[in-house]
Amino acid sequence: MSADARAAESTPALRCRGVHKRFPHDVIALDGLDLEVPAGSFFGLLGPNGAGKTTLIRSVVGLNEPDAGEIAVFGHNALGPGGAPTRRIVGYAPQEIALDKFVQVQQLLELHGRYFGLERRDARDRAAEMLEQFDLTNKARAYANRLSGGMRRRLLLARALLHRPRLVILDEPTAGVDIELRQDLWSYIRRLHADGTTILLTTHYLDEADELCEQVAFIRDGRIAAEGEPDQLRERFGAPRLEDVYLQLVGR
Amino acid sequence: MTARGARIDSLRTARRRGLAALTEREAFRVLRLWRQTIVPQIIAATLFVVVFGIALGREIREIEGVPYEQFIVPGLVLMGVVTQAFANNATSLYQARSDGFIEDPVTSPMAPRHLMVGYLSGGVLRSILIAVGTLAVARIFVEYPIERPLVLAATIVIAAIGFSALGTIVGLYSTGWEQQNFTLNMVIQPLAFLGGVFYSINALSEPWRSLTFADPIFYAVSAARYGVLGEAEVSPWLSVGVTTAVSAVLLAWCWVLFRRGVGLRT
Ligand SMILES: Nc1ncnc2c1ncn2[C@@H]1O[C@H](COP(=O)(O)OP(=O)(O)OP(=O)(O)O)[C@@H](O)[C@H]1O
Ligand SMILES: [Mg+2]
């Protein structure tokens, strides 16, 4: 293996150093957070409501502006206007569903692909592929505000993956998705992961995290409280389930 | 290293594609909603021509030696341009922000300038279509020349860019729907009406005449009037110059907001 290849391998997919974010009225959402998501990992970010998960994720994709700290994706700065080019390799499915209601589903995906630099034809092919993958082909001509809640969630995922990102960030992707599709979704994400894509996921379903994630980090009050492999963490805290670790670490 | 056979094009190419897509999306919105975005303004302008120009024109025969119905056409065109460019962008930006779907282009690799140009394109397209439509439909009722087509075209485009930028600024700052209507009804419409669309400022007494010189829309109306009639209250250098300067300032302000992420990042 060449030195370059080794360096590339050891560069984390996401590296956060001392990230601090304060909202008005003295809300400290991120309090000097440090986090490293290894390249190629399946990583779970777990923690209670208001812990700062979404704030961190939105900082990575340029929707929040941290007051201090560094964020790099595969070694490239992701903050400020200089961070925009880095976002080509990031896919993001937000927790809040927000879809353009002026365009049809297929068109919405094509536009997304082109915003992220794909050629028109490539974007069209990928959109068709993603619609198929997420069982939305028969909704290709519908407007997004005419989809059911679960379909909208699927469309968000299709959009996040469309431009073939190397780091995929999913903020509670399975909220409101039915059981069958949830399984389909996970098997698809697993295949992506097996192909080398890094997955960063938040979820409140700890069984899901336990089963899927190679590594998890518990976040509370804007800091990482503990991190490691689910097995190790269970052992370290003498807990039979990840849920028990969670309750010990970040429970109220 | 690329994932699954994706071709990695240069950042420039990627961003150009993004800009093309955003421009297309904004244009698509204007065209798809043409019954709301294009038609009403053309009908309103035509009604003004018919009512003021043709019906009342019998009372007021001429202004500055020009038949009244001819005199008002260029001002009506410009009034449509500034109000609709503003309304388009204030609405489109605010909607995208309040529904949250602006996050898709904002999280893309596009730079602030691409986002700005993409969003401006909607208002510019809409007001150009309205200008052309108004000129065409007014022609059915009124014979008018176009003495200086280049001056007219330049004025329309420059004013369209400036007022699309103003709409974008308001769309980025707004925290509710009422703010855009307020700006449109309380600032832009009055400035347009008082900007000499329906009368020559030479007919005004002081202080109204001097005050009109502080109205930026007056210069755009005057420049358009020069383009159509070949004469106007002030020299075309002054009117086109002020219109350009005002648009440049609005554009610069708009750019600063995109650069700082006002209304886009928290
Ligand atoms: N735009 C904002 N303005 C003000 N406060 C905010 C904003 N966004 C988040 N916060 C605050 O920051 C803190 C962290 O919120 P965040 O959304 O990151 O939590 P989370 O871990 O994603 O929670 P959940 O599991 O409920 O999604 C909360 O106290 C929240 O109220
Ligand atoms: Mg959240």
Side-chain angles (χ1 to χ4, degrees):
Chain A
M1 198 192 285
S2 74
D4 272 1
R6 256 194 311 277
E9 194 143 288
S10 61
T11 306
L14 177 65
R15 187 164 182 270
C16 305
R17 281 278 166 275
V19 181
H20 199 276
K21 177 65 183 174
R22 180 182 151 166
F23 286 114
H25 310 295
D26 265 335
V27 176
I28 300 194
L30 297 175
D31 190 12
L33 179 137
D34 294 319
L35 180 69
E36 231 169 72
V37 175
S41 62
F42 202 130
F43 198 102
L45 188 60
L46 312 174
N49 294 142
K53 303 180 294 295
T54 299
T55 304
L56 177 66
I57 287 172
R58 286 171 62 86
S59 304
V60 176
V61 298
L63 293 172
N64 281 342
E65 218 153 356
D67 313 306
E70 293 164 25
I71 297 182
V73 174
F74 289 103
H76 304 287
N77 167 43
L79 294 180
T86 308
R87 292 188 217 124
R88 274 176 99 178
I89 52 173
V90 181
Y92 160 61
Q95 177 175 7
E96 293 281 335
I97 297 179
L99 293 161
D100 191 342
K101 61 185 175 205
F102 289 94
V103 296
Q104 297 167 344
V105 164
Q106 161 106 24
Q107 201 180 1
L108 184 147
L109 290 176
E110 282 178 32
L111 284 172
H112 170 89
R114 294 168 63 203
Y115 294 157
F116 281 72
L118 300 193
E119 214 187 323
R120 190 187 293 264
R121 189 176 311 167
D122 189 19
R124 189 177 309 146
D125 293 347
R126 281 292 286 172
E129 225 173 282
M130 288 292 113
L131 288 175
E132 181 74 38
Q133 188 61 53
F134 289 92
D135 204 11
L136 287 167
T137 305
N138 61 351
K139 296 289 178 188
R141 302 260 158 261
Y143 287 89
N145 56 347
R146 295 273 180 275
L147 299 183
S148 77
M151 290 175 187
R152 290 178 204 195
R153 182 68 67 192
R154 273 139 62 192
L155 183 55
L156 280 187
L157 295 166
R159 194 179 75 178
L161 302 172
L162 188 124
H163 56 285
R164 307 180 183 93
R166 290 173 62 196
L167 170 63
V168 172
I169 305 178
L170 308 173
D171 200 353
E172 301 196 26
T174 47
V177 177
D178 68 40
I179 299 174
E180 257 177 279
L181 253 146
R182 180 180 293 212
Q183 288 181 349
D184 280 359
L185 167 69
W186 288 134
S187 73
Y188 183 70
I189 302 277
R190 275 189 156 135
R191 281 207 302 283
L192 268 184
H193 175 238
D195 285 350
T197 305
T198 308
I199 313 286
L200 173 62
L201 160 82
T202 78
T203 180
H204 289 289
Y205 301 106
L206 293 185
D207 298 344
E208 229 170 56
D210 200 354
E211 193 190 322
L212 292 161
C213 297
E214 299 165 344
Q215 281 195 57
V216 297
F218 289 96
I219 177 171
R220 179 178 187 163
D221 297 334
R223 290 160 171 274
I224 301 297
E227 60 183 307
E229 292 169 23
D231 290 346
Q232 289 175 350
L233 287 168
R234 272 200 307 265
E235 206 167 312
R236 194 185 331 156
F237 289 86
R241 295 175 311 158
L242 202 56
E243 199 168 312
D244 304 306
V245 179
Y246 176 98
L247 290 172
Q248 283 188 42
L249 271 170
V250 296
R252 277 177 260 267
Chain B
M1 190 164 74
T2 91
R4 291 168 305 286
R7 256 207 349 263
I8 296 294
D9 303 290
S10 76
L11 180 64
R12 269 177 71 123
T13 307
R15 287 175 150 178
R16 215 189 47 229
R17 289 175 183 153
L19 172 57
L22 186 56
T23 302
E24 215 174 285
R25 191 265 168 205
E26 289 304 297
F28 180 80
R29 178 184 166 280
V30 169
L31 298 176
R32 185 183 153 219
L33 304 177
W34 61 278
R35 287 184 203 80
Q36 296 158 52
T37 55
I38 309 289
V39 173
Q41 179 60 34
I42 295 178
I43 291 178
T46 307
L47 287 175
F48 276 120
V49 169
V50 172
V51 173
F52 283 88
I54 296 175
L56 295 180
R58 294 202 185 100
E59 314 295 320
I60 324 165
R61 286 180 199 281
E62 285 190 344
I63 287 193
E64 313 264 308
V66 177
Y68 188 60
E69 62 270 23
Q70 268 187 27
F71 179 85
I72 61 174
V73 168
L76 287 170
V77 170
L78 247 288
M79 192 159 82
V81 167
V82 299
T83 57
Q84 301 305 300
F86 172 86
N88 189 79
N89 277 39
T91 310
S92 185
L93 262 289
Y94 182 66
Q95 176 117 55
R97 283 179 56 232
S98 77
D99 285 5
F101 58 77
I102 202 165
E103 291 183 358
D104 196 18
V106 170
T107 58
S108 84
M110 278 187 270
R113 62 179 184 282
H114 301 97
L115 294 176
M116 181 180 84
V117 173
Y119 280 111
L120 288 181
S121 63
V124 172
L125 172 73
R126 172 160 161 189
S127 40
I128 289 175
L129 291 176
I130 283 171
V132 171
T134 305
L135 285 168
V137 176
R139 195 62 184 249
I140 301 171
F141 302 96
V142 187
E143 272 295 317
Y144 61 83
I146 296 187
E147 296 287 350
R148 299 278 189 281
L150 279 181
V151 174
L152 179 63
T155 303
I156 288 169
V157 172
I158 293 167
I161 293 173
F163 281 81
S164 296
L166 183 60
T168 305
I169 292 163
V170 171
L172 287 174
Y173 275 124
S174 314
T175 51
W177 282 110
E178 65 290 347
Q179 287 152 328
Q180 293 120 59
N181 291 333
F182 179 87
T183 316
L184 185 60
N185 297 329
M186 304 304 280
V187 181
I188 297 177
Q189 294 273 23
L191 287 179
F193 274 101
L194 299 174
V197 174
F198 296 105
Y199 49 79
S200 163
I201 60 151
N202 295 331
L204 292 178
S205 56
E206 292 297 345
W208 304 113
R209 189 170 185 283
S210 299
L211 279 177
T212 304
F213 284 106
D215 176 353
I217 296 178
F218 161 72
Y219 296 93
V221 169
S222 188
R225 184 163 290 141
Y226 180 83
V228 171
L229 304 175
E231 54 191 328
E233 295 100 321
V234 297
S235 103
W237 294 105
L238 178 65
S239 56
V240 176
V242 172
T243 304
T244 307
V246 168
S247 289
V249 168
L250 292 172
L251 197 62
W253 183 2
C254 188
W255 188 76
V256 168
L257 297 192
F258 274 100
R259 178 95 196 152
R260 293 204 185 138
V262 172
L264 303 173
R265 284 179 245 292
T266 42

